[in-house]
């Protein structure tokens, strides 16, 4: 430090006073300069909308110009609005499918890839990954053809096994399941990678120690692998939850939320209210209710899977 | 050393910023026809509708020699209207002229109206009385002002596969719905096919049938009457048809080709609709069925003074205030709706009868049509058009029709355990609640 | 799991003769059956994942009637280029591709620059509002984008930015996630290097440019790839702020080909194929970075 100060003092004499100030304080000022381009934009496009949306949720009216104060009216209507309730139910169904079907499935696949029986690990990791980098629009377009009732690839395939055509996108009972299956197809790859990253982080010594103690595969899986995967589990589940609530392009392009709201998701409903009906206040209220739901679910998950990275 | 680095960064940043500005400047709509005048953008959702309008523009160019070209774009129905609504909020973007479908118009009258008010130009040119206003201007009017104009006289007829029906020895014309059910049952028993289908995701079929009986979505005060007893009976009639097996459920509208395949293969052998449907869509999608169709009036209901026809749909043209040259655009729009040649061109393509009264002097409008096995359809239209029952519009048309489809039609048609009464009661309360919410 | 098998099997092996072990040892049989089963299952999964893509690309070369005709074919019976031609002539597809590229490239550059600069500040400096700002950013990560999309629309409206590149790039280029990521990477840079540079008279900015950036290159790559992919595949935002077809990005453009009144699936599928190609090609070349980048969160 003293050396630095001496150097600084030595240079002072060769610069004017304004430069002195700059040189002396640049270490203090620099960070503000560095963060300002980001923060100015962030304040305008990130923070302000969050606050404004909250304010909007207490107003009603068509568009942004004709607003009238409405108090809690939007929120009250929300809880009586069957479309809202269906949207929440659908999205939750979808989230459950993601968490309880997709994630464990991905874990199994990860275990399989990780095991010593499989050698082309890179090939499998890459092969399963394609859907993740594809836009949901493209996926929706492909699957509109695959899931078509009369001319779709899937029903044709089932037809070879003498299974009658299923209304994947037209049957109100089936459509949400179709979306879940589509989600499994899309996100199996990346969830597998998450689990693999977690598995790789487990120290092999644990297994060796356990086998010396006489534990078999099953026991070591339950007692070592799973507990040590807890931080990854937390991450995977929260990702799945957040992703579920963002489901938008597929229901929009495949079924437009139908038939009869059977595939209406929360984000699609926000879009409908906000950009089709321009009930911007109501749309904001719905979006905020979603935030609350997600927060609660995240906290629950934190309680279940949180805790430190230390071993049990 | 330091200065060089800063300079390098600033150069890089400047480059990025300049790049954005440069591209930002480029981010305006380029004229698709380089080196030619101005370009007006026309948005449509139906390519069959543009055919006569393009033809009209060619005539317009010869006669008036305007200094603009028109760029015609087709979008999906919902998206096009959504984007125009967004444009109305944004204040910029969007097209100069657009086809606005009748049931979408209500969406644009909730805030500031984005369409040019054409009441005065119409009056100044003495055009108001020269149109069948019920079809030409009423659907695009609000509070006494006219914002759009339509060329389609949409009298609904029953269009059926005459070749199939003759072979099956079906007694034509079918005069009552009871008669229809009889023939339908027999037909299904004999051939396994159907006389008619009912959609599960569209209100059109149900609305046409209720219109015949002086019912529909709204009463004269613009209030929804979805669960009116006759409305319920009609929906129950459709349910019963599917249950009894003489009618079937139409493939979803999203999978369009499926539906046309059933029609061309003869699985379903009739449809109810106006000319943009029985001519426009059918001729575009299954032209190979030419000469195999006949038209007749809709069968009658037992209700006294019911009608043998109805109206359905209709698209008008509106000029946007946000466009670049509204006056010039309007001049063309008025031209195309009053030019007999152009209107008759639409007739020759889609068998759309015009709303412009002077056009009816032309004998072509009542000639034999070879797509319909040389039937003189024009006579049928002339006879039936006066019988269209009065129907009532409402600012809440989109909400009500959506609720009807979502809460009534789809569950009632798809689920055997949901009665028409339950479904329509639900739809009615839903609509009421939505309207209350919006007007509170 | 795998290692345990090895251990117990060795115990078994001790009890068998050499020739037995070599040919039909239970260990080997089990190994190969397990292997076969697992590999077959995994290959099956990969096929399931890849087949729809192949179907899309194959259908891009089919006539419309063949896509809907019976029987359903997988590969085109009469391959045709008419779809691609129609795509490029009837629709401004080339322009859509250009728009997407511009947005993705400039957006990524902006996100990486701003994110690494700000991340550097958070990692290596102490300044007065540091903690507050950090917590604010943390909270914004918890808010889903649906909340902000409506007000952002209003901001675009006020700024008259509809149908411009700025509207597509700027709101999407500033995310708290980028800062966190870069902060993590920057924190691993030893302070001594920075101090040494200061001693040599480097400006703060120079420190970032010449010392920190090269060292956090992996982080930049990860952020770059994530931003690029996110921007390329973005849908709902461009859908809402562009109403002029010449400003559509590819996603919005091809979605405008979907609809009940005008469905030309051959064109649609060829558009989808072309739209997804660049990212897929990038992926094949930069697999490691992609895989690493997208699993960042899992390891942190």
């Amino acid at each position: 430090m003293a050396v630095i100060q001496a150097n600084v003092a030595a240079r002072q004499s060769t610069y004017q006073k304004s430069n002195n100030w700059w040189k002396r304080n640049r270490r203090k000022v620099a960070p503000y300069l560095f963060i300002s381009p980001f923060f100015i934009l962030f304040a305008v496009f990130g923070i302000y909308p969050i606050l404004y949306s909250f304010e909007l949720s207490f107003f009603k009216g068509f568009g942004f110009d004709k607003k009238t104060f409405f108090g809690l009216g939007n929120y009250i209507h929300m809880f009586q609005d069957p479309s809202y309730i269906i949207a929440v139910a659908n999205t939750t169904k979808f989230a459950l499918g993601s968490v309880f079907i997709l994630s464990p499935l991905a874990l199994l696949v990860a275990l399989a890839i990780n095991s010593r029986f499989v050698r082309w690990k890179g090939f499998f990791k890459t092969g399963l990954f394609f859907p993740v980098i594809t836009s949901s629009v493209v996926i929706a377009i492909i699957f509109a053809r695959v899931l078509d009732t009369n001319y779709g690839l899937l029903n044709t395939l089932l037809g070879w096994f003498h299974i009658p055509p299923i209304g994947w996108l037209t049957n109100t009972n089936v459509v949400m399941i179709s979306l879940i299956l589509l989600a499994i197809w899309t996100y199996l790859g990346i969830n597998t990678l998450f689990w693999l990253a977690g598995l790789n982080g487990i120290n092999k010594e644990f297994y060796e120690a356990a086998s010396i103690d006489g534990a078999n595969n099953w026991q070591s899986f339950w007692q070592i692998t799973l507990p040590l995967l807890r931080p990854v589990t937390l991450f995977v589940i929260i990702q799945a939850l957040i992703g579920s609530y963002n489901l938008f392009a597929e229901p929009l392009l495949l079924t437009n939320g139908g038939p009869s709201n059977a595939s209406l998701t929360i984000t699609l409903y926000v879009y409908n209210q906000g950009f089709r009906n321009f009930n911007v206040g109501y749309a904001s209220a719905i979006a905020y209710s979603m935030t609350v739901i997600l927060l609660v679910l995240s906290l629950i998950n934190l309680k279940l899977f949180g805790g430190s990275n230390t071993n049990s | 050393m330091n200065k060089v680095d800063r300079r390098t960064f600033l150069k890089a940043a400047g480059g990025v910023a300049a790049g954005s500005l440069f591209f930002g400047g480029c981010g305006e709509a380029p004229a698709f026809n380089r080196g030619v005048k101005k370009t007006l953008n026309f948005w449509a959702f139906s390519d069959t509708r543009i055919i006569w309008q393009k033809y009209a523009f060619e005539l317009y160019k010869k006669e008036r020699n305007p200094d603009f070209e028109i760029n015609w774009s087709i979008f999906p129905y919902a998206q096009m209207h959504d984007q125009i609504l967004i444009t109305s909020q944004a204040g910029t973007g969007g097209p100069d002229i657009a086809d606005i479908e009748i049931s979408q118009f209500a969406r644009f009258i909730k805030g500031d109206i984005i369409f040019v008010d054409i009441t005065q130009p119409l009056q100044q040119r003495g055009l108001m009385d020269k149109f069948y206003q019920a079809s030409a201007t009423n659907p695009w009017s609000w509070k006494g002002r006219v914002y759009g104009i339509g060329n389609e006289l949409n009298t609904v007829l029953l269009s059926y596969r005459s070749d199939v029906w003759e072979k099956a020895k079906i007694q034509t014309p079918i005069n009552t719905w009871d008669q229809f059910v009889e023939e339908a049952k027999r037909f299904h028993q004999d051939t396994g096919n159907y006389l008619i289908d009912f959609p599960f995701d569209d209100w059109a079929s149900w609305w046409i049938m209720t219109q015949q009986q002086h019912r529909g979505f709204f009463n004269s005060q613009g209030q929804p009457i979805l669960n009116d007893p006759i409305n319920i009976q009609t929906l129950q009639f459709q349910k019963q048809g599917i249950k009894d097996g003489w009618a079937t459920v139409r493939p979803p509208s999203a999978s369009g080709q499926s539906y046309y395949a059933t029609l061309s293969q003869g699985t379903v052998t009739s449809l109810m609709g106006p000319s943009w449907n029985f001519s426009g869509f059918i001729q575009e999608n299954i032209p190979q069925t030419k000469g195999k169709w006949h038209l007749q009036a809709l069968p009658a209901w037992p209700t006294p003074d019911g009608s043998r026809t109805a109206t359905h749909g209709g698209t008008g043209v509106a000029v946007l205030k946000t466009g670049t040259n509204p006056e010039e655009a309007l001049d063309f729009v008025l031209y195309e709706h009053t030019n007999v040649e152009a209107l008759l061109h639409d007739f020759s393509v889609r068998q759309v009868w015009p709303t412009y009264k002077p056009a009816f002097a032309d004998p072509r409008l009542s000639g034999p049509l070879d797509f319909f096995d040389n039937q003189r359809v024009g006579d049928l239209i002339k006879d039936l058009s006066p019988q269209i029952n009065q129907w009532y519009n409402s600012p809440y048309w989109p909400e009500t029709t959506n609720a009807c489809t979502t809460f009534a039609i789809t569950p009632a048609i798809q689920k055997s355990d949901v009665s028409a009464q339950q479904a329509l009661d639900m739809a009615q309360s839903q609509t009421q609640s939505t309207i209350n919410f919006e007007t509170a | 799991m795998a290692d345990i098998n090895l251990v117990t099997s060795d115990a078994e092996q001790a009890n068998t003769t050499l020739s037995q072990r070599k040919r039909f040892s239970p260990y080997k049989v089990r190994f190969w059956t397990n292997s076969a089963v697992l590999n077959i299952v995994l290959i099956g999964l990969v096929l399931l994942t890849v087949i729809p893509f192949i179907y899309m690309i194959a259908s891009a070369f089919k006539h419309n009637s063949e896509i809907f005709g019976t029987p359903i074919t997988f590969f085109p019976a009469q391959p045709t280029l008419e779809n691609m031609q129609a795509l490029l002539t009837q629709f401004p597809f080339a322009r859509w591709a250009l728009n997407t590229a511009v947005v993705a490239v400039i957006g990524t550059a902006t996100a990486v620059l701003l994110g690494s600069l700000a991340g550097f500040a958070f990692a290596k400096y102490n300044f007065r509002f540091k903690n507050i700002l950090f917590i604010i950013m943390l909270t914004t990560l918890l808010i889903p984008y649906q909340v902000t999309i409506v007000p952002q629309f209003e901001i675009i409206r006020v700024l008259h930015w509809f149908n411009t590149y700025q509207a597509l790039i700027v709101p999407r280029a500033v995310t708290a996630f980028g800062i966190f990521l870069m902060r993590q990477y920057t924190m691993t840079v030893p302070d001594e290097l920075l101090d040494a540079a200061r001693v040599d008279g480097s400006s703060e900015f120079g420190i970032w440019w010449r010392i920190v950036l090269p060292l956090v290159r992996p982080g930049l790559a990860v952020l770059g790839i994530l931003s690029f992919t996110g921007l390329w595949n973005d849908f709902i935002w461009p859908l809402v702020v562009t109403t002029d077809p010449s400003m559509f990005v590819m996603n919005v453009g091809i979605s405008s080909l979907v609809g009940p009144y005008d469905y030309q699936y051959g064109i649609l599928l060829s558009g989808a194929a072309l739209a997804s190609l660049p990212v897929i090609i990038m992926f094949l070349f930069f697999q490691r970075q992609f895989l690493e980048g997208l699993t960042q969160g899992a390891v942190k």
Side-chain angles (χ1 to χ4, degrees):
Chain A
M1 248 347 242
V3 177
I4 293 174
Q5 279 179 337
N7 278 335
V8 168
R11 286 172 204 241
Q12 261 181 353
S13 54
T14 40
Y15 290 95
Q16 295 161 6
K17 274 201 178 154
S18 56
N19 278 348
N20 277 353
W21 177 89
W22 171 251
K23 284 276 191 250
R24 250 199 317 245
N25 292 302
R26 68 180 179 185
R27 209 166 154 178
K28 270 198 258 173
V29 174
Y32 292 107
L33 291 179
F34 291 163
I35 64 173
S36 48
F38 176 85
F39 259 94
I40 293 172
L41 292 177
F42 188 67
V44 173
F45 290 102
I47 302 181
Y48 173 67
I50 295 179
L51 301 171
Y52 185 43
S53 183
F54 190 64
E55 184 196 325
L56 264 184
S57 69
F58 298 109
F59 283 78
K60 73 179 209 70
F62 180 78
F64 294 97
D65 293 328
K66 303 189 186 311
K67 290 198 302 281
T68 53
F69 188 67
F70 198 31
L72 288 174
N74 282 325
Y75 291 99
I76 297 176
H77 183 257
M78 213 166 70
F79 291 114
Q80 302 163 342
D81 180 3
S83 298
Y84 175 75
I85 296 175
I86 292 180
V88 172
N90 287 338
T91 316
T92 309
K93 238 193 268 183
F94 184 79
L96 288 176
S98 296
V99 170
F100 290 108
I101 303 179
L102 172 60
S103 306
L105 201 62
L107 178 56
L108 287 177
V109 176
L111 288 169
I113 295 183
N114 204 36
S115 79
R116 63 197 183 92
F117 300 116
V118 173
R119 270 196 286 179
W120 307 322
K121 298 193 200 289
F123 170 74
F124 289 124
K125 288 202 285 194
T126 309
L128 292 174
F129 202 67
F130 279 100
V132 178
I133 54 168
T134 316
S135 86
S136 43
V137 174
V138 170
I139 293 180
I141 290 174
I142 299 179
F143 276 84
R145 294 302 93 236
V146 172
L147 296 175
D148 186 72
T149 315
N150 297 316
Y151 297 97
L153 212 56
L154 186 56
N155 276 341
T156 310
L157 227 68
L158 291 178
W160 293 345
F161 297 99
H162 300 291
I163 301 179
I166 301 179
W168 298 106
L169 300 174
T170 58
N171 186 330
T172 50
N173 295 327
V174 176
V175 68
M176 217 53 218
I177 297 177
S178 306
L179 288 178
I180 293 178
L181 290 177
L182 187 54
I184 294 179
W185 179 86
T186 312
Y187 295 110
L188 186 66
I190 189 166
N191 277 291
T192 306
L193 283 175
F194 289 150
W195 289 120
L196 277 174
L199 287 174
N200 284 332
I202 298 179
N203 201 324
K204 299 280 187 268
E205 292 174 352
F206 288 121
Y207 292 118
E208 286 164 15
S211 73
I212 291 176
D213 284 349
N216 62 22
N217 300 348
W218 207 227
Q219 284 170 325
S220 66
F221 176 68
W222 280 109
Q223 309 248 6
I224 300 180
T225 316
L226 274 189
L228 285 178
L229 282 178
R230 270 171 92 201
V232 181
T233 311
L234 174 66
F235 178 75
V236 166
I237 292 187
I238 290 195
Q239 282 287 71
L241 286 175
I242 296 179
S244 306
Y245 279 87
N246 286 348
L247 190 62
F248 170 72
E250 289 87 341
L252 174 72
L253 294 172
L254 287 172
T255 54
N256 200 20
S260 179
N261 283 346
S263 61
L264 184 70
T265 60
I266 285 243
T267 304
L268 184 54
Y269 197 44
V270 170
Y271 175 80
N272 283 344
Q273 288 294 340
F275 296 101
R276 285 204 164 135
N277 300 342
F278 277 103
N279 292 335
V280 293
Y282 191 45
S284 299
I286 297 172
Y288 260 100
S289 76
M290 206 176 101
T291 312
V292 170
I293 295 177
L294 273 178
L295 260 171
V296 168
L297 288 175
S298 301
L299 284 174
I300 295 178
N301 269 297
L302 220 67
K303 279 238 146 156
L304 286 176
F305 297 102
S308 48
N309 296 330
T310 56
N311 31 15
S312 46
Chain B
M1 236 354 219
N2 303 342
K3 288 178 191 154
V4 169
D5 288 308
R6 190 173 299 148
R7 209 177 290 151
T8 324
F9 173 72
L10 287 174
K11 263 194 231 163
V16 171
S20 331
L21 284 177
F22 170 69
F23 282 113
C26 278
E28 306 295 325
F32 278 101
N33 301 315
R34 290 276 180 83
V36 174
K37 332 168 178 181
K38 299 181 283 214
T39 308
L40 295 188
N41 285 308
F42 190 111
W43 282 10
F45 55 85
S46 159
D47 54 353
T48 51
R49 253 191 69 83
I50 309 201
I51 299 175
W52 75 272
Q53 300 195 62
K54 281 186 178 168
Y55 183 81
F57 189 58
E58 293 306 309
L59 296 174
Y60 185 72
K61 278 195 282 195
K62 279 194 211 124
E63 251 182 72
R64 306 270 180 101
N65 199 16
D67 66 343
F68 60 85
E69 273 295 337
I70 294 188
N71 178 42
W72 312 83
S73 300
I74 304 183
F75 290 101
Y77 173 79
Q79 185 172 342
M80 193 212 78
H81 293 99
D82 286 348
Q83 298 252 286
I84 294 187
L85 194 61
I86 290 182
T87 305
S88 71
Q89 286 296 304
T92 59
D96 297 280
I97 316 174
D99 268 358
I100 303 291
E101 214 254 355
I102 196 173
S103 47
Q104 294 284 323
F105 178 68
R107 292 173 75 187
F108 300 97
I109 53 181
K110 289 194 174 121
D112 291 326
I113 301 186
I114 191 180
F115 304 127
V116 170
D117 183 339
I118 61 174
T119 324
Q120 242 195 341
L122 281 173
Q123 280 163 346
Q124 271 172 349
R125 300 180 195 211
L127 289 176
M128 277 297 211
D129 294 323
K130 295 208 177 133
F131 284 102
Y132 286 110
Q133 287 182 23
S135 291
T137 52
N138 288 352
W140 295 279
S141 304
W142 180 239
K143 295 201 176 143
R145 313 299 300 177
V146 181
Y147 295 97
I149 184 165
N151 74 310
E152 301 175 351
L153 187 60
N154 285 316
T155 314
V156 171
L157 298 174
L158 180 73
S159 178
Y160 61 92
R161 287 288 298 272
S162 49
D163 58 334
V164 177
W165 282 25
E166 259 171 51
K167 193 155 155 231
K169 299 204 181 39
I170 302 212
Q171 287 270 12
T172 51
I174 298 184
N175 291 317
T176 66
W177 280 109
D178 285 337
Q179 207 183 327
F180 188 92
V181 176
E182 286 303 311
E183 299 283 5
K185 283 184 183 162
R186 191 168 59 79
F187 182 76
H188 182 63
Q189 218 171 358
D190 291 343
T191 67
N193 291 325
Y194 303 94
L195 284 195
I196 202 168
D197 61 3
F198 298 124
F200 71 92
D201 56 353
D202 185 0
W203 44 261
S205 184
W206 174 81
W207 190 49
I208 289 173
M209 289 171 137
T210 55
Q211 264 190 68
Q212 289 184 274
Q213 306 164 79
H214 292 279
R215 298 292 186 280
F217 291 112
F218 300 101
N219 60 19
S220 51
Q221 283 87 45
Q223 296 297 318
I225 50 165
L226 292 174
N227 53 357
D228 173 282
I230 299 223
N231 283 342
I232 294 178
Q233 263 176 47
T234 311
L235 187 55
Q236 192 63 36
F237 177 80
Q238 292 191 348
K239 269 181 78 78
Q240 202 63 37
I242 295 172
K243 182 158 169 238
D244 291 345
W246 56 261
T248 186
V249 181
R250 185 177 300 177
S253 40
S255 155
Q257 288 294 349
S258 294
Y259 174 48
Y260 293 111
T262 65
L263 286 176
S264 80
Q265 287 163 14
T267 315
V268 171
T269 54
S270 81
L271 61 103
M272 298 182 286
S275 54
W276 52 257
N277 195 350
F278 64 66
S279 276
F281 283 163
I282 301 295
Q283 291 186 28
E284 188 203 3
N285 288 293
I286 42 176
Q288 64 270 30
T289 55
K290 175 173 173 169
K292 299 184 181 169
W293 297 89
H294 278 183
L295 294 160
Q296 66 153 71
L298 300 177
W301 294 94
T303 38
D305 74 282
S307 162
R308 299 284 308 261
T309 186
T311 179
H312 176 219
T315 308
V317 183
V319 175
L320 275 78
K321 282 187 196 159
T322 50
T324 43
N325 297 283
E327 288 94 41
E328 297 181 352
L330 182 57
D331 190 60
F332 168 63
V333 171
L334 290 178
Y335 174 85
E336 66 171 353
H337 284 86
T338 52
N339 181 292
V340 177
E341 264 315 300
L343 294 171
L344 276 151
H345 191 77
D346 198 17
F347 177 73
S348 72
V349 172
R350 298 193 300 158
Q351 273 83 63
V352 167
W353 276 261
T355 50
Y356 187 55
K357 291 181 192 169
F360 275 89
D362 196 301
R364 277 177 286 174
L365 285 179
S366 32
L369 297 175
D370 53 4
F371 195 82
F372 295 94
D373 196 25
N374 291 323
Q375 190 179 355
R376 285 181 177 272
V377 185
D379 293 340
L380 196 55
I381 297 274
K382 252 197 232 162
D383 287 339
L384 288 176
S385 297
Q387 286 183 37
I388 301 178
N389 282 339
Q390 171 131 42
W391 63 276
Y392 302 106
N393 205 340
S394 160
Y396 301 103
W397 180 277
E399 290 87 339
T400 309
T401 52
N402 279 339
C404 183
T405 307
T406 306
F407 296 104
I409 311 263
T410 305
I413 298 282
Q414 282 194 328
K415 301 191 178 162
S416 51
D417 57 342
V418 173
S419 75
Q421 169 104 45
Q422 287 170 316
L424 283 167
D425 280 341
M426 179 58 150
Q428 173 74 11
S429 72
Q430 264 319 292
T431 296
Q432 215 44 74
S433 151
T434 306
I435 294 178
N436 290 344
F437 176 58
E438 287 184 20
T439 53
Chain C
M1 221 161 115
D3 294 317
I4 312 292
N5 265 340
L6 199 55
V7 172
T8 52
S9 303
D10 279 350
E12 280 178 65
Q13 285 182 6
N15 290 331
T16 56
T17 62
L18 191 63
S19 54
Q20 277 180 311
R21 251 185 291 152
K22 274 194 174 163
R23 283 174 50 231
F24 292 111
S25 71
Y27 162 64
K28 270 209 166 161
V29 170
R30 197 168 55 202
F31 175 81
W32 287 112
T33 21
N34 282 350
S35 234
V37 166
L38 280 180
N39 277 302
I40 290 177
V41 167
L42 286 176
I43 291 181
L45 282 178
V46 172
L47 276 178
L48 264 180
T49 308
V50 171
I51 282 182
F53 283 98
I54 301 180
Y55 177 65
M56 165 181 78
I57 298 178
S59 299
F61 295 100
K62 287 186 200 162
H63 291 283
N64 234 7
S65 49
E66 205 186 322
I67 300 181
F68 270 106
T70 42
I72 311 285
T73 55
F74 196 78
F75 288 105
Q78 302 157 316
T80 166
L81 282 177
E82 68 183 17
N83 293 325
M84 305 268 183
Q85 281 171 339
L87 189 66
L88 291 167
T89 51
Q90 283 177 30
F91 304 97
F93 189 80
R95 173 82 201 207
W96 294 343
L98 175 69
N99 291 337
T100 320
V102 165
V103 170
V105 168
I106 297 189
T108 304
T110 315
V112 170
L113 270 172
L114 296 186
S116 56
L117 197 53
F120 173 56
F122 275 100
K124 292 296 179 188
Y125 290 87
N126 283 310
F127 48 96
R128 213 164 91 196
F129 299 108
K130 177 167 158 180
N131 287 326
I132 301 178
L133 288 176
F134 198 72
I135 293 182
I136 291 180
M137 287 198 314
L138 190 62
T139 5
T140 62
L141 279 184
L142 297 173
I143 314 263
Y145 72 85
Q146 296 76 356
V147 165
T148 53
I149 196 170
V150 171
Q152 282 174 342
F153 179 86
E154 165 72 340
I155 296 175
I156 300 295
R157 191 177 80 110
V158 166
L159 290 173
H160 294 290
W161 274 10
F162 277 102
N163 294 307
T164 62
Y165 284 117
Q166 308 88 286
L168 291 169
I169 295 174
V170 174
R172 290 283 165 273
V174 283
T175 62
F177 175 74
I179 306 244
F180 285 131
L181 192 71
M182 292 318 302
R183 177 175 168 267
Q184 294 292 105
Y185 276 93
T186 315
M187 275 171 28
T188 63
V189 174
D191 289 340
E192 298 80 44
L193 286 180
L194 308 183
D195 291 333
R198 285 194 191 101
V199 168
D200 286 344
S202 169
S203 70
E204 301 303 308
F205 183 82
I207 294 178
W208 174 69
W209 186 254
R210 284 178 305 120
I211 299 188
V212 174
L213 273 191
L215 286 176
V216 295
R217 217 176 285 156
L220 296 176
V222 168
L223 182 57
I225 285 178
L226 289 176
S227 304
F228 187 85
T229 311
L231 283 166
W232 190 274
N233 291 337
D234 197 10
F235 178 53
I236 188 173
W237 180 244
L239 183 66
V240 154
V241 293
T242 50
T243 56
D244 184 341
S246 70
M247 284 306 290
F248 284 168
V249 296
M250 280 198 287
N251 269 342
V252 179
I254 59 180
S255 79
S256 78
L257 303 175
V258 175
Y261 286 87
D262 206 53
Y263 28 80
Q264 303 171 64
Y265 287 114
I267 299 182
L268 189 59
L269 287 168
S270 58
L274 289 175
S276 42
L277 223 49
V279 181
I280 290 184
I281 293 178
M282 245 183 66
F283 169 60
L284 290 173
F285 276 106
F286 295 107
Q287 274 169 53
R288 204 172 42 85
Q289 286 85 339
F290 261 92
L291 301 185
E292 194 185 298
L294 285 158
T295 56
Q296 268 309 301
V299 189
K300 77 167 178 250

